[in-house]
Amino acid sequence: MKSGWVDSEAQTAIDRYARAGIGRDLALRVYTTRLLGRDPKLVLHGGGNTSLKTTMPDLFGDQVAVLCVKGSGSNMASVEPVDLPAVRLDPLRKLRARGALGDEDIVRIQRASLLDSAAPNPSVEILLHAFLPHTFVDHTHANAVLSIIDQPDGETICSELYDGRASVVPYVMPGFLLAKTAADIHDAKPAVEGLILHKHGIVTFGDGAREAYERMIALVTLAEERLQKNRKAVFVTAHLPQAIAPVAAVAPILRGACSRKVEDSEGSWRRMVLDFRTTPAILNFVNGGELVRYSQAGVVTPDHTIRTKNWPLVTAAPEPDRMDDFKRAAGVALAAFVERYQDYFARQNARVGGIKRPLDPLPRVALIPGLGLFGLGRSKREASIAADLAQCAVEIVTEAEAIGRFQSISEDEMFDMEYWPLEQAKLGAAAEKPLAGQIAVITGAGGAIGAATASAFAAAGAEVALLDVDRRAAEDKAEAIGAAALALACDVTSAASVREAFARVVEAFGGVDIVVSNAGAAWQGRIGEVDEELLRKSFELNFYGHQRVAQAAVKIMLAQGTGGCLLFNVSKQAVNPGPNFGPYGLPKAATLFLVRQYAVDYGAAGIRANAVNADRVRSGLLTDAFIAERAKARGVSEKDYLSGNLLGREVTAEDVAQAFLHQALELKTTGDVTTVDGGNIAAALR
Ligand SMILES: [Zn+2]
């Protein structure tokens, strides 16, 4: 591992922050924190933390000694001075004399000691930083170090490897006791460059930012070099089937198995979003004959527990022509996982006096022999964090097994960490949105109604895939929604294009729960004289397009076994034909009956089918020129055409989006058409 320190970049940081009135030390603290944060072999997702001891003026202008320590859960790679809240150092240091200190007291004292009372919560490892005397303290969960300390004889290996340069601290749960133990061990040999926290990570320190940082690089490099010695081959591959089913076939089954019915809300499911990973290293790991031993041994560092749980779900290898077997086996594996988790909770909760409330018992990582691994979470973001940490664990365990045998902390220690209130606080207590965990596909998403619907569903917590025949339009709208929104080209008049798009959605998120079949285009012509080709073209898009999309979605929904929701844009023409609008209205009328047919055929599977009958929404389909033409056909002004309804109000794309959203949330409604037209008795359904 090479040092990333560059003198000119360090100077740039000093100069840049000086303009904002920030001193040299804090500027360099930010600079090296980012250097550490940008290397995934050192830290991932809020893991690791750094600090600086300095002086700063308090609200009265008096200079006080402070500890600037990284805020809990903030990302080191993009840290700014504001992410290193300043805490008065003297009250923190006084705590070292205590025999014991509760978590709530620590939080209270640190918040009361913040120079800025509105600052973020400091890292849960604040006291570790406070009790060490050095100006700069850096802490990471470096992969190479974990590979050598997650061993039965990890402490011996480290004592030999770091002889005199770093002291080894036996495993103690993070918090007050670890801080006290680490400081005592440091003080016994104050000349060391760092501390190895057994089964947890590494701390380095120094008087300067560069010194602390480069000691980290040097000590981690020693671990990397140690891993190259006396290696044995890992892992011996298990006997696997000749062919393995693709992700698009496996993910919906896995996702279905990992979903749970919500007890007090019939028809409602608690679902997971999936994030798939595969690399040669992951395949080597999941294909190993001893997978069950080394994958179930526990976490690589206690910090991962809260996001990955202590062990992953392991399924059988999925064979393409035996997916029913895979589905059955996945169900059995999940039931065993849940039972094991519940037993673990009951056993451990009894040990701590029955004071804890259980987290959900579902896995956050699934290992699929022959295929790869999935991260699971209530959002794409959570799923990808779990997948990142799982991928990191694969590397650490593989390296650990190459020089010995991977060993984690004990079950008691994992439970104490998983159910530590300060750790659970990292997950945030915000209420979940109504569509959290659901995946929505919107066709025609490059247009006004499709884009507004995608935005409304994303705002309600769904992961959204925006499909449009115009890829660029879908990408533009997805970008406006946010990084997690997926944009795909899809021509609904092509069965292959629809199949491909749905496979991509499943690969990205794990499945499909809601489809808004919205793509359409309007053609006009007097029905007695219209060219048959034009009529067929309209049917291809305005009827068969909906059928292809619904068919692709239903296949995935049935594999998941958790119901689903099909929503169609049928337009007012399906109910109330306008003059010369037959080529558009006829396939839309067929689509209205398609909705009812899906409601009839798939109600028993919990799949709902509903439609929105909207009228006169300004969009790509209803352009200004088109509005002028339709107004002329009806013999009214353009303004009257748009708001020519009982309420006298123009209907917008957002109004239609809200109607789709309501239908997605109405778990007891199917075969319904919701009218969004400002009131038009001639188009009212009866
Ligand atoms: Zn740590």
Side-chain angles (χ1 to χ4, degrees):
M1 179 168 282
K2 295 248 181 311
S3 168
W5 179 283
V6 178
D7 281 335
S8 60
E9 287 177 6
Q11 191 56 48
T12 305
I14 292 169
D15 296 344
R16 182 156 63 92
Y17 287 117
R19 288 195 285 276
I22 287 160
R24 177 191 167 86
D25 277 357
L26 186 50
L28 290 176
R29 177 68 286 176
V30 168
Y31 173 62
T32 57
T33 300
R34 287 183 173 199
L35 289 182
L36 294 168
R38 76 184 186 191
D39 190 341
K41 288 187 182 302
L42 291 173
V43 292
L44 270 181
H45 295 298
N49 35 69
T50 58
S51 68
L52 164 71
K53 296 180 187 76
T54 183
T55 58
M56 281 186 181
D58 66 8
L59 287 174
F60 303 99
D62 297 329
Q63 288 290 327
V64 292
V66 294
L67 176 74
C68 294
V69 62
K70 198 203 73 167
S72 182
S74 70
N75 192 348
M76 283 169 70
S78 55
V79 82
E80 289 288 346
V82 68
D83 301 316
L84 293 152
V87 190
R88 288 172 192 274
L89 190 53
D90 291 343
L92 296 178
R93 279 190 163 150
K94 266 187 209 158
L95 297 174
R96 194 175 164 189
R98 298 268 192 101
L101 190 60
D103 298 328
E104 283 168 16
D105 287 339
I106 296 179
V107 172
R108 231 176 264 139
I109 291 162
Q110 74 190 22
R111 283 223 68 85
S113 308
L114 282 166
L115 279 203
D116 173 2
S117 60
N121 266 335
S123 162
V124 298
E125 288 172 306
I126 182 173
L127 294 181
L128 179 68
H129 292 265
F131 294 173
L132 291 168
H134 308 274
T135 308
F136 289 84
V137 178
D138 297 15
H139 168 49
T140 72
H141 306 145
N143 290 7
V145 172
L146 290 175
S147 290
I148 62 168
I149 57 182
D150 288 350
Q151 304 270 351
D153 56 349
E155 287 178 89
T156 316
I157 298 175
C158 283
S159 299
E160 287 166 15
L161 184 64
Y162 293 119
D163 182 34
R165 290 186 71 176
S167 297
V168 180
V169 181
Y171 182 81
V172 179
M173 185 178 139
F176 175 68
L177 272 184
L178 172 61
K180 215 167 135 78
T181 310
D184 289 348
I185 289 174
H186 166 271
D187 291 354
K189 277 188 188 168
V192 292
E193 299 164 36
L195 299 171
I196 305 297
L197 310 181
H198 192 224
K199 307 262 176 90
H200 171 168
I202 170 170
V203 182
T204 56
F205 25 70
D207 296 334
R210 183 172 187 172
E211 184 178 43
Y213 166 73
E214 290 191 336
R215 282 174 166 179
M216 176 68 69
I217 301 301
L219 297 188
V220 173
T221 302
L222 279 179
E224 287 178 334
E225 288 164 3
R226 174 65 182 79
L227 289 171
Q228 296 314 312
K229 286 180 196 151
N230 306 326
R231 286 175 76 88
K232 62 179 194 281
V234 282
F235 298 101
V236 178
T237 306
H239 179 71
L240 289 173
Q242 288 273 302
I244 297 291
V247 179
V250 170
I253 293 174
L254 179 67
R255 186 165 180 259
C258 295
S259 298
R260 308 201 93 200
K261 276 188 171 150
V262 177
E263 290 291 336
D264 51 1
S265 171
E266 200 176 4
S268 172
W269 290 83
R270 186 177 163 85
R271 299 172 169 98
M272 293 289 199
V273 178
L274 272 51
D275 189 63
F276 178 70
R277 305 290 170 88
T278 194
T279 64
I282 290 172
L283 282 174
N284 179 55
F285 186 89
V286 299
N287 293 351
E290 286 188 78
L291 176 63
V292 169
R293 173 184 63 79
Y294 55 75
S295 73
Q296 303 296 299
V299 288
V300 293
T301 181
D303 200 44
H304 286 198
T305 297
I306 196 73
R307 302 204 188 266
T308 63
K309 286 204 163 23
N310 298 326
W311 55 83
L313 175 74
V314 177
T315 72
E319 291 184 69
D321 46 4
R322 297 179 63 187
M323 292 310 278
D324 285 345
D325 290 349
F326 177 71
K327 191 169 188 170
R328 229 178 343 264
V332 170
L334 193 276
F337 183 97
V338 168
E339 194 183 328
R340 180 180 175 195
Y341 188 84
Q342 287 169 338
D343 287 352
Y344 150 80
F345 178 81
R347 188 165 60 237
Q348 288 293 332
N349 195 33
R351 177 179 64 87
V352 298
I355 53 171
K356 301 292 182 183
R357 290 183 53 187
L359 295 168
D360 83 59
L362 297 170
R364 292 299 185 274
V365 177
L367 307 180
I368 320 291
L371 196 66
L373 69 81
F374 288 93
L376 292 85
R378 290 284 285 160
S379 63
K380 176 71 178 174
R381 189 176 169 275
E382 269 185 26
S384 71
I385 290 175
D388 283 346
L389 297 182
Q391 206 172 338
C392 169
V394 161
E395 186 182 325
I396 291 163
V397 174
T398 302
E399 291 297 291
E401 292 270 324
I403 61 156
R405 194 179 177 92
F406 171 71
Q407 189 187 63
S408 181
I409 51 177
S410 72
E411 180 185 288
D412 289 4
E413 289 161 344
M414 282 190 264
F415 182 85
D416 289 344
M417 196 64 189
E418 185 177 4
Y419 283 87
W420 188 22
L422 300 190
E423 197 65 8
Q424 290 191 353
K426 286 185 184 172
L427 297 181
E432 282 202 324
K433 292 178 177 169
L435 293 181
Q438 299 211 46
I439 298 150
V441 176
I442 298 99
T443 71
I449 291 176
T453 304
S455 293
F457 278 64
E463 304 302 332
V464 291
L466 291 84
L467 277 47
D468 201 287
V469 69
D470 178 350
R471 179 198 298 268
R472 180 66 65 81
E475 283 169 353
D476 286 350
K477 307 295 185 192
E479 203 171 304
I481 291 171
L486 177 69
L488 294 171
C490 178
D491 174 2
V492 298
T493 66
S494 153
S497 177
V498 170
R499 255 195 321 271
E500 169 68 17
F502 274 82
R504 295 277 309 280
V505 173
V506 171
E507 284 160 10
F509 298 118
V512 172
D513 304 299
I514 301 164
V515 161
V516 183
S517 187
N518 166 67
W523 284 279
Q524 300 187 71
R526 215 167 158 200
I527 197 67
E529 296 139 48
V530 72
D531 183 29
E532 188 175 315
E533 269 312 295
L534 184 118
L535 195 54
R536 284 185 187 279
K537 197 173 160 190
S538 182
F539 261 89
E540 212 34 69
L541 175 59
N542 292 315
F543 173 73
Y544 286 106
H546 292 291
Q547 162 63 357
R548 284 183 200 102
V549 165
Q551 211 165 36
V554 160
K555 190 174 172 212
I556 297 163
M557 289 170 182
L558 291 177
Q560 291 170 162
T562 55
C565 177
L566 306 171
L567 302 173
F568 300 83
N569 185 342
V570 296
S571 143
K572 163 260 181 195
Q573 295 302 324
V575 183
N576 172 230
N580 298 334
F581 227 1
Y584 182 56
L586 287 164
K588 284 290 193 181
T591 299
L592 175 62
F593 274 76
L594 185 72
V595 176
R596 295 174 175 176
Q597 198 63 51
Y598 272 100
V600 168
D601 287 351
Y602 294 98
I607 297 171
R608 299 177 296 115
N610 295 303
V612 170
N613 150 26
D615 193 18
R616 293 182 206 177
V617 180
R618 200 186 291 273
S619 67
L621 192 145
L622 201 57
T623 58
D624 292 345
F626 197 85
I627 290 166
E629 200 175 327
R630 292 311 305 160
K632 198 173 154 209
R634 297 230 170 208
V636 296
S637 74
E638 287 175 34
K639 185 181 177 302
D640 285 349
Y641 176 73
L642 278 178
S643 54
N645 53 48
L646 296 176
L647 295 170
R649 295 173 188 162
E650 183 180 340
V651 179
T652 66
E654 284 71 28
D655 296 324
V656 181
Q658 287 304 314
F660 279 129
L661 181 57
H662 280 286
Q663 288 184 329
L665 294 169
E666 287 164 354
L667 296 178
K668 312 289 167 75
T669 299
T670 191
D672 174 59
V673 180
T674 294
T675 300
V676 189
D677 64 0
N680 175 1
I681 287 303
L685 284 135
R686 51 179 168 251

